[in-house]
Amino acid sequence: MKEGNVIDIGSKKTGPESYTPYIRIGVLLLLIIVIVSTVMSNLFIVKENEYRVIRQFGEVTRVVSEPGLTYKIPFLQSVTTLPKHQLLFDTQPTEVNTKDKKKIIVDNYVVWRIVNPTAMIQNARTISNVEKRMSESVSSTLRNELGSLDYSAIINEEKSARGDFNKLVTTKVNEVLQRDRFGIEIIDVRVKRTDLPAQNENSVYNRMISERHSKAQEYLSIGEAEATKIKAATDRSVTEMLSVADAKAKLVQAQGEAEAARIYNAAYSQDPAFYSLYRTLESYKTTLQGQPVIVMPINSPYAKYLQGAR
């Protein structure tokens, strides 16, 4: 190499040693980011309507139910979220044989909630397992309770022997799940509807129609009897009122006739001869009506006015 081509770079370093401070800063920043990310990923917020169950190696270490910010130990602990509010579970329809060997299909739903998250996680593990056990318990209880009743007692509300059936089923299902320590509470088991297998519907509908016709006829008979009773009472009242009115009319008429007779007597007593003449002439109107043939002695006092006597 020629001497004029040599370049003098002095003390300036261009090798790997010149990047060492930057590498250290980058590693430090990366470490800080990892630490912050790890801390942030293990902080979580508990909402009002949920439980946070913290587990370590599969065992429940604590349950956080109060809303706010909390934490878990990185890599060692895991968090499971469970609802605190009431839950609705729609069970599968259950086929039940009644006491009189008839089949019905019962459809219902369950309102429930978690009251002990630790027991629920330890004994049921998941909500789906709880719902499965709940469905089995409800179906079993329905079969036992409805199986002790006749079909007519189940579908006929007026003659039902069920009592508060929903409350009874709720109590029995609660007893089963509390015995299994599932950490839940059944608030209500409610029957939505009771259906019949298709082959039984027509016979049941015909029976229901017959019962309704019978009931309607009963109401009509009661109405007719009541109408007859009211009519008889009205007729009796009318007859009594007419009798009272007729008696009063006859009394007034008799009083009028008596008063007329008194007036006549007072008038006629002033001239008895005239009264005798007047009564005789009045009798002629009746006797001689239709020009009858009358035979009487010529000297009869009754005939003297007919002969022009005075």
Side-chain angles (χ1 to χ4, degrees), residues 29 47 64 80 83 86 93 118 140 143 153 162 189 224 232 236:
L29 289 176
K47 299 179 181 179
V64 183
T80 301
Q86 293 183 1
T118 301
S140 176
R143 289 191 182 96
R162 291 179 296 174
V189 178
E224 290 177 356
R236 183 170 61 253

Side-chain angles (χ1 to χ4, degrees), residues 87 89 112-114 119-121 123-136 177 182-184 186:
L87 302 173
F89 174 57
W112 65 286
R113 66 179 178 180
I114 300 172
M120 185 252 166
I121 290 293
N123 297 306
R125 299 295 178 185
T126 63
I127 289 180
S128 61
N129 288 339
V130 171
E131 291 179 341
K132 181 179 179 181
R133 185 68 181 92
M134 193 185 307
S135 180
E136 293 173 354
L177 296 177
F182 274 12
I184 67 172
I186 305 299

Side-chain angles (χ1 to χ4, degrees), residues 134-174:
M134 193 185 307
S135 180
E136 293 173 354
S137 178
V138 170
S139 297
S140 176
T141 303
L142 288 175
R143 289 191 182 96
N144 290 336
E145 297 302 324
L146 293 180
S148 63
L149 300 175
D150 289 333
Y151 178 75
S152 59
I154 296 174
I155 65 169
N156 193 332
E157 292 293 338
E158 295 180 358
K159 300 179 180 179
S160 176
R162 291 179 296 174
D164 195 345
F165 183 74
N166 294 317
K167 184 176 180 180
L168 175 63
V169 175
T170 300
T171 301
K172 289 186 175 296
V173 173
N174 249 329

Side-chain angles (χ1 to χ4, degrees), residues 186-222:
I186 305 299
I187 298 172
D188 192 15
V189 178
R190 184 70 53 174
V191 176
K192 292 193 295 185
R193 67 175 186 266
T194 303
D195 294 332
L196 295 166
Q199 62 270 23
N200 294 347
E201 287 184 355
N202 290 333
S203 61
V204 172
Y205 289 156
N206 291 334
R207 180 184 301 175
M208 292 174 65
I209 292 172
S210 176
E211 289 179 356
R212 293 300 177 267
H213 284 168
S214 176
K215 199 66 177 179
Q217 189 60 45
E218 180 182 349
Y219 288 149
L220 288 174
S221 299
I222 293 173

Side-chain angles (χ1 to χ4, degrees), residues 284-299:
Y284 287 165
K285 292 180 181 181
T286 303
T287 305
L288 300 178
Q289 187 176 3
Q291 299 180 355
V293 176
I294 301 174
V295 178
M296 64 181 64
I298 192 65
N299 58 350

Side-chain angles (χ1 to χ4, degrees), residues 71-121:
Y71 67 94
K72 68 179 181 66
I73 300 175
F75 309 113
L76 297 179
Q77 294 181 338
S78 60
V79 179
T80 301
T81 302
L82 295 175
K84 188 189 293 186
H85 57 272
Q86 293 183 1
L87 302 173
L88 179 65
F89 174 57
D90 195 359
T91 64
Q92 292 295 323
T94 302
E95 186 175 285
V96 177
N97 289 322
T98 62
K99 184 178 180 181
D100 50 354
K101 307 303 180 183
K102 294 183 179 179
K103 292 183 178 181
I104 59 174
I105 299 175
V106 181
D107 192 7
N108 55 276
Y109 65 88
V110 181
V111 180
W112 65 286
R113 66 179 178 180
I114 300 172
V115 294
N116 189 338
T118 301
M120 185 252 166
I121 290 293

